[in-house]
């Protein structure tokens, strides 16, 4: 395979990881050969690169080599197409039938297109089939399933092209649809859009064009309960229900990504796809229209309120769209932002009532839809008005804690740090940059400013220095003294200048300006100062403004506070200022970014519900809590044997001694095989299909097992006493053969208070946040330990000696939350216990304290994917997030916009994971480590990561270009992006950032959303915060919450109440309608409603209250009122009402 | 004494009375005395007077003489002068709604005895100035949920509701088959061998009556039904080979009550159906005589919506006032005695997401005020009856009560408000008004029933003797003690709306009218490709039940 290009140190790093991994695999192989695991060896194949991953994921031998060969000369997409063809032609792998070969070919191609990570190729494609055209020829149909969604539009569309390419290779004709089939597609896609949703809905003509011309029949399995109303019972379409996978591939794939397919069609010169031209020109004309609109006016950043949609109670709005007082955009990247994560000053998190914590997702106005939040304290914090009338900016977190009780209004919520790469990735025009220090200093240097002056001094100059520099070098006024002039109108400006001229007193060597407080307040001048973010204090009835000279000059006043001008000529205040002052003043906050809370951060163990310790089925014998102890003492009837339970379980047989068992391994040491039988004929056959009737055979049946003895034996074997607080199993196995895990594993898990997931692993979920650099001090690890782990030098090449030095994080290293570390520590102890007590081998970790976890190997795995990524633990953070290198997140196919995924102990995965436990249903193979990526190649991670900028500063031209709202693509080639470093050793090293942060864990530990109790409490807090923030209209928030959360909830529950199903409390049987007998038809148990009066009414009172208090629109008020009447009519008896109290007296 | 008079007598005294009880009283030889007797002796705690509250033996022992007084005259004969209008029971066809040229309508000739009617007409005027129907001229509400809702949302209420449906509908079927309780079949099965041993001969022929709880197709393409009665549930197989039967079975919908005759399989686990019996309307039923004049049926006015067709609506109001160029129309308008509106008077608020963007009037009460303004323009000789629909400001769950006081008070007193559904008697012609929410379900479930021909859905209702059989789908229900959706007694006219398409049909002497809308195509309808037929109004001649369709 092609070696990854990396420096010697990085190669060493990878080698260390891999050798440790190999060692661990050996240990596990040895252990597994001794226990009762499904297989005597590790079940997660390793993949060094994409080729390996594809081969392991799909399981066609020889594919990896072919991929490597094809990739030498072709692009990824071309290689994928060629690969499909070669597989179909049988160059690699062996298949029983033509359709099997086609199916495999399509799968490998899609796998390759999706980097071999997501589950789409295995779960999203059900099968490929061959059907008959009306003229007798054959055609290929591909059956898509719901999870094809995870492949993304391009890969979905290309999978169809692959199908076509492949069918030509094996000589099958095209699909010739019947007329009614075409109409069926139209009806079905429209229906799918109604019941689910589509990013893009093609018009009827587009659908007709696609279906009539597409050479492959796009079919699918039914995913929705809805059925089409017309076009039912068609010969060649197996279902009347809606096929979600089909709709996705056709609409979001073929229709939306037509230009991309066309590119490949042209390159490969495939005929029969000429209709794409028509599809593209058809859709293009619409695009042209919008293009013309743009030309008419000069580029402008318009407010977007999409992020405000579907507001939920308890998740506050921090700023309305582009509103003064909202987040001020600042360009740059800190070591814990980029890749859809943005930074704000942690004091802002505190001041905004703790709603934002590191890792909290914010829905933002731009550039993307959402962003994970990270603390960056080198940017400006919020500016607040205190109860005393003082206006202060809070940049330091200790100040924030001191002052938070005093805050009367949050005039400005501070800056938000967003990197250029995120604008590039989202293809969002560059919004005008504020005049900030990074820009100013470049102009200063360009103007020939004194290079010897320390940068720190220039960051925070005195008023005299700032004015001197402006005068001497002709650079614009320093950002420190630039106020938000664009937020006020000319009349306010004039009033302010006059007021200061008349009432101002300049004293203490012109370092303090005093203004009379009462007059300033009543005239509105005080408010103007607040809006300008001119900081001031109130003392002795006077407003004190420190370092006022630049401010005074900007107002066009002289040292004696005399006004030097008479009238204002321009419309814009800033234009006027630049006319009357001697220095240039730039816009300080031209771009504001609206935001609201998305979902809270997460750092918690993964638990199924109810959370089992072991995958062992006990049906109802353990009660609702699934307690194994109860099952062990269960008695079916008074005379029944204690601990004998009836469960659905797989039957296995030992090929050596013929003993039947439920375990993977016979006591004689031989591995057992499922004892298959036909569920229809009842005959026992060792084949997948019944030879008599063709039904699929199974080994599962309802059987009585002596659970008590299994239970007792297991405890005996591991030498533990039956003293566990809680020890739970599952109701029913979801796997195909329904063979349970060894109970011993569960005992030890329960002992260490660990829960298992559906595949036998122990997992911990955390919000993803990127991290490119660490300081030893902040991650709780000593320099010595880090040196052991290969961290020799800091970013400046100095040897690591001081815990405050900044180090470049290695790509597969992780910084996790303390809670996660503790959970992993317990997992390590559990693994050791398993080794010693169950497998009877030596312990591996011998871990006692949290510090022992540093350096252990982990596996990262994201939902909807099937490939784990090897990682290593290097440190801890108090923040409730999983910090890792952006490449690591990208390798899992995640960005950092507030999503979460899991880590697990590598050893746990190796030892306890088995495909045999995976649910035998659609989607069952998702979120399972079917392969493990051992070495992270930046070229093979999600391409989004290639747009991360890693430079130390942004060029002057960049800041200037933002003023004309340039397209980010202009800078794609000049910026220091990952994409420019690919294939060189620098792809792993020497990353930089523009803004530092002193602590990656600063800010609240948990979002207030998680600490507040009821929904009503959350809503109250949300509205209280809304009232405090200037950029938020609390009554609009209230109305939106009512409209998008409470009203639909009440409305929906009312509907649900009147259409509800019922449920038996005893056996859980569900009824669409209450049985006429009144009680459960299956067990005679009591049947109850599933929707209760309380659920319907729960938000009514708070809705009424909020509607009144925040004076929402009368429309919304009336809606609430009507719902109230509706509830009353439904839940109150008219006739008991008529009988008043007096009737009883 | 007529049925209406009996009802009014009890209403005035503050009682409701069941139709059965009314029949009993009317059929008695001296109804007036009987009414007095009942009112004197009735227990005050009783709210609805049922048959069991009428103690005939003691009445007859107390009033032995009264029999003579009224003897000879049947209650029917002593009724209105209106009954002089010639009977027209031979009316079979309805004017084709597709081609409704008004001027060509043959129903324009005024009935004989017009003069008499005229005089009576004025007398109605006099009466209707005071509080509408209660004072008793010619509208009477025979059943309606308003102020009778007992539901508080408990599980047992749901059970009772469905049991009530079962008992009412199964009684209709029971006359035609000898059905056995389902439990008895299960018992036999448990003892093994089905009915084989006990019966002998044609042992396995059984009949059951059950509520359908599941319908599915088997792997071999047969239909499998699960039927349920208050004793248990049982499976019924309809064989694909039995073409006609299978066809019938494909129309079976959830939660309707049907009878099945068939044979038990050997193991006694299911019945193979031979015959399916629906409650249905009786084949022979005497037609009520009807009355004179005409009634106008409409619905789905959607006042307040930006797609409300105000211009067309106003010309309709002009027509009611006799203000139209066409003389025939003018004449026609004079004949109109009733205006019946089956729901969705206004567009409402918050009915669907984003509705505020499709409204001209955002305030719900302003919408009704506007409606009231329109109705004040309707001439006073026309009686107006309004029931609510799913857009109206009453509870969504059906049966819906009439509008609350706050809304009715906006209107003139002469308007009669009823619930949904409601059975009203228009001077002898019984009209069952139901908004028609369930048509959505019926269209989705019964092959061949579509939005273009809503009358077909309504005929399916009549066959099932139920307005809204399917539970848990689009219709919200309130679990009341009585199933108000059961069609009993059989009306002369079934009037629905909701789907915004005109449909007129006839099934065994019942006229089914879906009265269209006054709203042009909405955004939602555009999306689902429904073409409404707005501003078309069916007018029914109450003596012949002949229907004419007017376009505005």
């Amino acid at each position: 395979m092609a070696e990854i290009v990396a420096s010697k140190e990085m190669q060493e790093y990878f080698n260390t990881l891999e050798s440790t991994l190999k060692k661990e695999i050996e240990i596990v192989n040895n252990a597994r050969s001794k226990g009762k695991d499904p297989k005597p060896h590790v079940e997660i194949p390793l993949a060094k690169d994409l080729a390996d991953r594809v081969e392991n994921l799909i399981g066609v031998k020889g594919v990896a080599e072919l991929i490597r060969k094809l990739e030498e000369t072709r692009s990824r997409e071309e290689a994928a197409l060629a690969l499909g063809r070669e597989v179909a032609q049988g160059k690699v792998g062996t298949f029983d039938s033509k359709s099997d070969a086609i199916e495999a070919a399509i799968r490998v191609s899609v796998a390759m297109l999706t980097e071999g990570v997501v589950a789409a190729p295995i779960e999203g494609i059900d099968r490929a089939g061959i059907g008959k055209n009306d003229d007798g020829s054959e055609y290929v149909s591909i059956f898509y399933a719901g999870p094809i969604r995870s492949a993304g539009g391009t890969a979905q569309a290309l999978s169809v092209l692959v199908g076509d390419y492949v069918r030509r290779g094996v000589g099958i004709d095209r699909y010739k649809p019947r007329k009614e089939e075409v109409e069926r597609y139209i009806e079905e896609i429209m229906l799918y859009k109604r019941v689910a949703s589509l990013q893009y809905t093609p018009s009827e003509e587009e659908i007709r064009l696609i279906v009539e011309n597409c050479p492959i029949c796009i079919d699918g399995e039914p995913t929705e309960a809805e059925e089409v109303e017309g076009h039912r019972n068609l010969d060649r379409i197996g279902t009347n229900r809606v096929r979600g996978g089909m709709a996705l591939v056709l609409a979001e794939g073929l229709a939306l990504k037509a230009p991309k397919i066309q590119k490949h069609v042209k390159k490969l010169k495939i005929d029969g796809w000429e209709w794409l031209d028509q599809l593209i020109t058809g859709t293009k004309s619409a695009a042209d229209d919008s293009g013309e609109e743009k030309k008419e006016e000069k580029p402008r950043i318009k407010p977007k309120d999409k992020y405000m949609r579907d507001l939920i109670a308890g998740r506050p709005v921090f700023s309305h769209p582009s509103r003064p007082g909202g987040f001020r955009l600042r360009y740059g990247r800190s070591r814990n932002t980029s890749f859809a994560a943005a930074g704000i000053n942690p004091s802002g998190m505190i001041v905004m009532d703790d709603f934002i914590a590191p890792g909290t997702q914010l829905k933002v106005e731009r550039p993307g839809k959402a962003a994970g939040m990270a603390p960056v304290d080198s940017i400006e914090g919020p500016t607040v008005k205190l109860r005393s009338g003082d206006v202060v900016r809070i940049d330091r977190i200790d100040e924030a804690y001191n002052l938070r009780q005093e805050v009367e209004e949050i005039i400005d919520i501070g800056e938000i740090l967003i990197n250029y790469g995120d604008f590039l990735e989202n293809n969002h025009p560059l919004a005008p940059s504020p005049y900030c220090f990074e820009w100013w200093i470049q102009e200063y240097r360009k103007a020939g400013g004194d290079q010897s002056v320390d940068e720190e001094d220039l960051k925070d100059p005195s008023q005299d220095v700032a004015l001197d520099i402006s005068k001497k070098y002709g650079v614009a006024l320093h950002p420190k003294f630039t106020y938000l002039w664009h937020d006020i109108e000319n009349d306010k400006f004039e009033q302010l200048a006059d007021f200061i001229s008349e009432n101002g007193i300049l004293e203490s060597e012109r370092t303090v300006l005093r203004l009379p407080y009462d007059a300033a307040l009543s005239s509105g001048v005080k408010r103007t100062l607040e809006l300008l973010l001119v900081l001031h204090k109130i003392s002795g009835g006077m407003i004190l403004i420190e370092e006022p000279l630049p401010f005074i000059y900007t107002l066009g006043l002289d040292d004696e506070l005399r006004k030097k001008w008479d009238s204002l000529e321009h419309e814009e205040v800033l234009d006027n200022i630049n006319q009357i002052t001697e220095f240039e003043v730039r816009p300080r906050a031209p771009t504001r970014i609206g935001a609201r809370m998305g979902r809270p951060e997460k750092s918690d163990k993964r638990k199924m519900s109810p959370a089992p310790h072991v995958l062992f089925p006990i049906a109802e014998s353990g009660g609702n809590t699934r307690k194994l102890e109860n099952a062990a003492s269960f008695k079916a009837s008074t005379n029944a044997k204690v601990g004998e339970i009836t469960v659905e379980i797989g039957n296995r047989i030992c090929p050596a001694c013929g003993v039947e068992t439920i375990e993977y391994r016979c006591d004689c040491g031989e591995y057992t095989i499922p004892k298959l039988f036909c569920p229809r004929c009842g005959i026992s056959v060792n084949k997948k299909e019944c030879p008599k009737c063709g039904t699929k055979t199974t080994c599962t049946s309802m059987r009585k097992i002596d659970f008590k003895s299994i239970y007792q034996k297991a405890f005996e074997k591991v030498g533990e006493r039956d003293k566990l607080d809680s020890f739970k199993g599952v109701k029913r196995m979801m796997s195909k053969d329904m063979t349970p895990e060894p109970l011993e594993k569960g005992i030890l898990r329960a002992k260490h208070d660990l829960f298992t997931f559906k595949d036998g692993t122990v997992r911990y979920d955390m919000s993803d946040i990127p991290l490119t650099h660490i300081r030893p001090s902040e991650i709780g690890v000593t320099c010595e330990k880090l040196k052991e782990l290969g961290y020799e030098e800091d970013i400046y090449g100095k040897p690591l000696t001081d815990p405050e030095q900044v180090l470049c994080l290695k790509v597969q290293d992780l910084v996790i939350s303390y809670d996660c570390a503790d959970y992993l520590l317990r997992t390590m102890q559990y693994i050791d216990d398993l080794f010693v007590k169950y497998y009877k081998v030596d312990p591996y970790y011998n871990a006692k304290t949290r510090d022992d976890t540093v350096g252990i190997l982990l596996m990262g795995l994201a939902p909807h994917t099937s490939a784990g990524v090897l990682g290593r633990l290097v440190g801890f953070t108090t923040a409730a997030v999983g910090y890792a290198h952006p490449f690591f997140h990208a390798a899992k196919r995640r960005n950092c916009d507030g999503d979460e995924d899991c880590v697990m102990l590598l050893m746990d995965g190796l030892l306890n994971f088995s495909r045999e436990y995976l649910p035998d249903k659609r989607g069952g193979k998702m979120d399972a480590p079917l392969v493990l990526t051992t070495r992270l190649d930046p070229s093979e991670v999600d391409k989004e990561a290639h747009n991360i900028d890693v430079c130390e500063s942004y060029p002057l031209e960049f800041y200037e270009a933002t003023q004309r709202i340039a397209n980010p693509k202009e800078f794609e080639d000049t910026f220091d992006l990952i994409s420019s470093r690919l294939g060189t050793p620098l792809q792993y090293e020497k990353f930089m950032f523009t803004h530092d942060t002193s602590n990656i864990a600063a800010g609240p530990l948990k979002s207030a959303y998680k600490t507040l109790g009821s929904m009503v409490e959350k809503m109250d807090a949300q509205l209280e915060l809304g009232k405090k923030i200037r950029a938020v209209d609390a009554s609009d928030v209230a109305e939106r919450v009512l409209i998008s959360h409470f009203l639909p909830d009440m409305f929906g529950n009312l509907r649900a109440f009147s259409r509800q199903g019922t449920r038996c409390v005893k056996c859980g049987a569900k009824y669409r309608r209450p049985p006429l007998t009144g009680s459960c038809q299956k067990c005679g148990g009591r049947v109850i409603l599933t929707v209760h009066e309380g659920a319907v009414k729960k938000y009514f009172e708070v809705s009424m209250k909020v509607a009144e208090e925040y004076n929402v629109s009368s429309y919304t008020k009336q809606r609430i009122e009507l719902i109230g009447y509706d509830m009353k009519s439904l839940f109150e008896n008219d006739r008991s009402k008529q009988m008043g109290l007096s009737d009883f007296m | 004494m007529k049925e209406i008079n009996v009802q009014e007598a009890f209403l005035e005294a503050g009682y409701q009375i069941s139709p059965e009880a009314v029949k009993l009283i009317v059929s008695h030889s001296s109804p007036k005395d009987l009414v007095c007797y009942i009112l004197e002796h009735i227990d005050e705690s009783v709210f609805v007077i049922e048959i069991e509250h009428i103690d005939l033996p003691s009445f007859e022992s107390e009033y032995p003489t009264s029999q003579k007084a009224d003897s000879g005259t049947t209650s029917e004969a002593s009724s209105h002068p209106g009954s002089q209008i010639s009977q027209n029971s031979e009316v079979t066809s309805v004017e084709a709604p597709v081609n409704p040229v008004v001027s060509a309508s043959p129903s324009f000739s005024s009935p004989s005895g017009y003069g008499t009617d005229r005089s009576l007409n004025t007398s109605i005027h006099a009466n209707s100035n005071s509080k509408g129907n209660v004072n008793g001229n010619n509208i009477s509400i025979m059943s309606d949920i308003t102020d009778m809702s007992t539901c508080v949302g408990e599980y047992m209420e749901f059970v009772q509701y469905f049991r009530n449906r079962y008992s009412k509908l199964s009684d209709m079927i029971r006359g035609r088959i000898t059905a056995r309780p389902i439990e008895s079949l299960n018992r036999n099965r448990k003892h093994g061998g089905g009915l084989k041993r006990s019966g002998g001969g044609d042992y396995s022929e059984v009949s059951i009556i059950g509520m359908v709880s599941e319908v599915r197709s088997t792997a071999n393409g047969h239909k499998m039904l699960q039927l349920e009665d208050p004793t248990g549930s049982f499976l019924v197989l309809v064989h694909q080979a039995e073409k006609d039967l299978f066809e019938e079975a494909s129309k079976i919908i959830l939660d309707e009550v049907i009878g099945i005759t068939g044979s038990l399989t050997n193991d006694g686990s299911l019945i193979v159906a031979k015959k399916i019996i629906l409650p249905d309307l009786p084949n022979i039923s005497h037609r009520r005589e009807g009355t004179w004049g005409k009634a106008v049926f409409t619905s789905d006015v959607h006042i307040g919506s930006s797609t409300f067709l105000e211009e067309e609506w106003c010309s309709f109001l002009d027509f009611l006032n006799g203000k139209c160029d066409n003389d025939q129309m003018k004449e026609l308008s004079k004949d109109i005695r009733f205006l019946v509106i089956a729901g969705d008077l206004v567009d409402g608020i918050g009915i669907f997401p984003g509705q505020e963007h499709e409204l001209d009037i955002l305030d719900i009460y302003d919408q009704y005020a506007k409606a009231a303004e329109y109705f004040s323009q309707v001439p006073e000789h026309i009686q107006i009856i309004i029931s609510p629909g799913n857009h109206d400001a009453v509870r969504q769950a059906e049966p819906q009560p009439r509008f609350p006081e706050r809304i009715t008070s906006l209107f003139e007193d002469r308007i009669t408000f009823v619930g949904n559904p409601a059975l009203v008697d228009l001077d002898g012609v019984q009209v069952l008004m139901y908004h028609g929410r369930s048509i959505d379900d019926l269209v989705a479930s019964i092959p061949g029933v579509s939005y273009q021909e809503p009358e077909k859905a309504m005929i399916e209702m009549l066959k099932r003797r139920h307005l809204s059989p399917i539970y848990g789908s689009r219709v919200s229900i309130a679990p009341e003690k009585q199933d108000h959706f059961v069609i009993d007694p059989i009306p002369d006219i079934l009037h629905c709306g909701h789907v915004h398409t005109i449909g007129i049909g006839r099934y065994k002497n019942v006229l089914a009218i879906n009265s269209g809308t006054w709203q042009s195509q909405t955004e939602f309808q555009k999306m689902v490709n429904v073409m409404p037929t707005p501003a078309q109004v069916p007018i029914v001649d109450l003596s012949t039940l002949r229907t004419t369709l007017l376009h505005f």
Side-chain angles (χ1 to χ4, degrees), chain A residues 690-733:
Chain A
C690 173
K692 213 164 143 193
C693 66
T695 315
K696 275 195 181 146
T697 57
T698 174
C699 70
T700 67
S701 58
M702 291 300 287
R703 279 161 34 108
K704 277 186 185 162
I705 56 170
D706 182 2
F707 184 69
K708 192 180 179 187
S709 75
I710 296 172
Y711 185 79
Q712 284 170 342
K713 267 189 207 154
F715 272 99
E716 249 167 61
K717 176 151 191 209
V718 294
E720 293 288 337
R721 288 201 297 159
D722 184 5
K723 278 269 159 69
L724 300 168
D725 288 345
S726 113
F727 182 24
K728 295 176 182 179
V730 293
K731 188 173 165 187
R732 179 175 176 271
M733 292 294 289

Side-chain angles (χ1 to χ4, degrees), chain A residues 10 13 335 769-775 779 786 791 793 795 806-815 872-875 883-889 988-991 1000:
Chain A
M10 284 312 289
Y13 168 69
R335 55 202 179 88
I769 293 291
L771 187 68
T772 51
H773 299 78
I774 48 172
R775 282 199 176 86
I779 60 167
L786 281 172
Y791 286 90
E793 295 172 346
I795 44 172
V806 178
L807 316 170
C808 227
L809 183 70
K810 294 186 193 294
V811 287
Q812 282 168 269
D813 285 357
L814 282 76
V815 176
R872 185 176 71 168
L873 198 163
V874 287
Y883 271 123
H885 199 284
F887 289 175
F888 186 81
H889 293 311
Y988 291 110
E989 287 167 286
K990 302 218 161 47
F991 290 7
I1000 57 168

